[in-house]
Amino acid sequence: MRDVVEQLDRWRAAGNARTAIATVVGVKRSAPRPPGAKMALAQDGSVAGAVSGGCVEGAVVVAAEEVLEGGEPRMLHFGISDDEAWDVGLPCGGEIDVWIDRPDGPEGEAFAALARADGRGALVTRLDGGGRMLVDAEGIRTGSLGTAALDDGAAEHARELMWAERSERRTVEDVEVFVDATAPSPRVIIFGAVDHSAALCTLARAARWRPFVVDPRERFATPERFPDAERVVAKWPAEAFADLGGIDRATSIVVLTHDPKLDDAALQIALASDAGYIGAMGSRLAQAGRRERLLARGLTDDDLARISAPIGLDLGGLTSEETALSIMAELVAVRRGHPGGRLRDAEGRIHEVGA
């Protein structure tokens, strides 16, 4: 929804109040766009977004115009075999299902508002046209899919996928639904106002992450030194975490200070949280010393196994920028559930897609 919500707002402000949205709800084999990808159509014929690489948009627009004029929500299926691909227009040789509906009603409005506010939640839609339900990060529901059992089951899927940051088709109580997730840009909290941190902030911004820098040394922790940071917090770890709203499972923690007083305090707090990633810089010798200190603080081997240390992928980088690149590459790999090796040595699909 974040792909098109700003355009929807512009259309509404210009008087194009009626809109229809086409959403990719199923992908098989190779396909240009993943589940959740959207294309919006306004009443004046304006189009925003895409559901493929331009291959099937024409057919989708025709169907969306009918829904826009009051037609029922509908599913479109584009199935292409490899030998027919070029004739039909999908050279990837894949299959996609596209659901077309209008974003009206309290559920649609609430979903748009959530995406607009960079919030977290999921809109669950019955693919038989039977209803919609929004579930936010607090578990609050708007709308209904028809029965309490269906709502409860769908809410479980919504909670799973909003945190996994994936949109997928699921089956609940023998009813096919599409769980459309929206989430804020991922957050990385970087401890240590050092050159590596500045380079990491720049790369994180380029990758559409939200970087924060923390260091109690006010002389070094200044916004001028980290122009790409969303915030620079000159506080000790416990105060800084509280100031930044705590740690959830979508937060990554990167420790770069080389100062045991800061490193250990930050890591101990991070390990007591649901942080999705915890990494720490340092040589093998430094890691061994840190391990002994943290064990003495009462942490366990299982706790320490969560720390990615030495931090980053093995790129052989030497400069601050190259080191930041190895860290950013590992953050992306962990977020996407990939090992981070060379694609030429990997097997299977390059891009994982949902059902």
Side-chain angles (χ1 to χ4, degrees):
M1 192 64 177
R2 291 172 62 194
D3 291 345
V4 298
V5 69
E6 290 183 2
Q7 184 60 63
L8 292 176
D9 290 341
R10 285 192 289 269
W11 285 341
R12 179 171 295 179
N16 280 322
R18 290 190 298 113
T19 56
I21 293 182
T23 303
V24 177
V25 299
V27 169
K28 292 182 180 178
R29 304 170 69 191
S30 297
R33 311 237 22 224
K38 289 179 172 55
M39 182 174 74
L41 178 74
Q43 65 190 62
D44 68 352
S46 299
V47 175
V51 294
S52 76
C55 317
V56 302
E57 268 69 6
V60 173
V61 165
V62 171
E65 287 175 336
E66 295 174 3
V67 172
L68 190 61
E69 294 303 320
E72 293 296 318
R74 69 184 63 182
M75 181 80 75
L76 302 180
H77 175 78
F78 300 93
I80 291 84
S81 63
D82 288 329
D83 57 348
E84 297 173 334
W86 286 101
D87 292 335
V88 177
L90 271 180
C92 56
E95 299 179 40
I96 61 173
D97 290 329
V98 178
W99 176 256
I100 304 176
D101 200 353
R102 291 185 60 178
D104 300 335
E107 306 86 12
E109 292 293 337
F111 189 47
L114 194 62
R116 190 181 298 114
D118 214 21
R120 185 180 303 275
L123 180 68
V124 187
T125 300
R126 287 184 61 152
L127 296 182
D128 59 4
R132 295 183 295 191
M133 179 180 71
L134 177 72
V135 183
D136 69 14
E138 304 301 321
I140 298 172
R141 306 174 189 177
T142 302
S144 173
L145 300 180
T147 70
L150 192 53
D151 289 349
D152 289 344
E156 288 297 318
H157 290 288
R159 281 191 287 271
E160 172 197 344
L161 290 171
M162 74 172 71
W163 286 104
E165 300 179 1
R166 293 199 315 272
S167 298
E168 289 186 5
R169 184 188 302 189
R170 295 287 176 91
T171 301
V172 183
E173 298 286 317
D174 296 323
V175 175
E176 272 205 327
V177 301
F178 183 67
V179 183
D180 197 358
T182 187
S185 300
R187 181 175 66 154
V188 55
I189 301 177
I190 306 164
F191 283 86
V194 298
D195 290 346
H196 295 319
S197 302
L200 182 55
C201 284
T202 300
L203 289 178
R205 275 291 184 201
R208 298 186 180 180
W209 286 51
R210 295 176 296 146
F212 298 80
V213 174
V214 172
D215 196 311
R217 300 170 296 181
E218 295 183 1
R219 180 176 181 179
F220 300 103
T222 65
E224 292 75 20
R225 292 190 66 218
F226 303 95
D228 289 315
E230 188 151 320
R231 280 186 62 193
V232 178
V233 182
K235 295 181 179 180
W236 285 87
E239 296 176 275
F241 278 130
D243 194 15
L244 293 174
I247 308 170
D248 59 29
R249 69 189 83 173
T251 301
S252 296
I253 308 297
V254 171
V255 178
L256 306 179
T257 65
H258 290 298
D259 184 334
K261 297 189 300 296
L262 294 173
D263 283 8
D264 297 356
L267 288 170
Q268 188 165 15
I269 296 169
L271 289 169
S273 75
D274 293 330
Y277 171 92
I278 304 169
M281 181 174 280
S283 66
R284 305 286 182 188
L285 183 61
Q287 303 297 341
R290 179 187 296 126
R291 171 184 171 79
E292 293 304 316
R293 295 193 305 272
L294 291 176
L295 288 173
R297 285 177 174 237
L299 278 75
T300 67
D301 287 331
D302 286 344
D303 292 329
L304 300 186
R306 293 179 60 198
I307 303 175
S308 180
I311 195 171
L313 299 187
D314 185 8
L315 304 184
L318 297 176
T319 66
S320 292
E321 292 78 11
E322 290 174 343
T323 301
L325 178 61
S326 77
I327 296 170
M328 195 66 226
E330 184 178 33
L331 287 173
V332 172
V334 170
R335 183 180 180 226
R336 300 303 185 187
H338 279 242
R342 299 182 70 184
L343 283 174
R344 59 169 289 175
D345 299 327
E347 297 181 356
R349 296 187 185 278
I350 295 174
H351 300 291
E352 181 182 352
V353 296

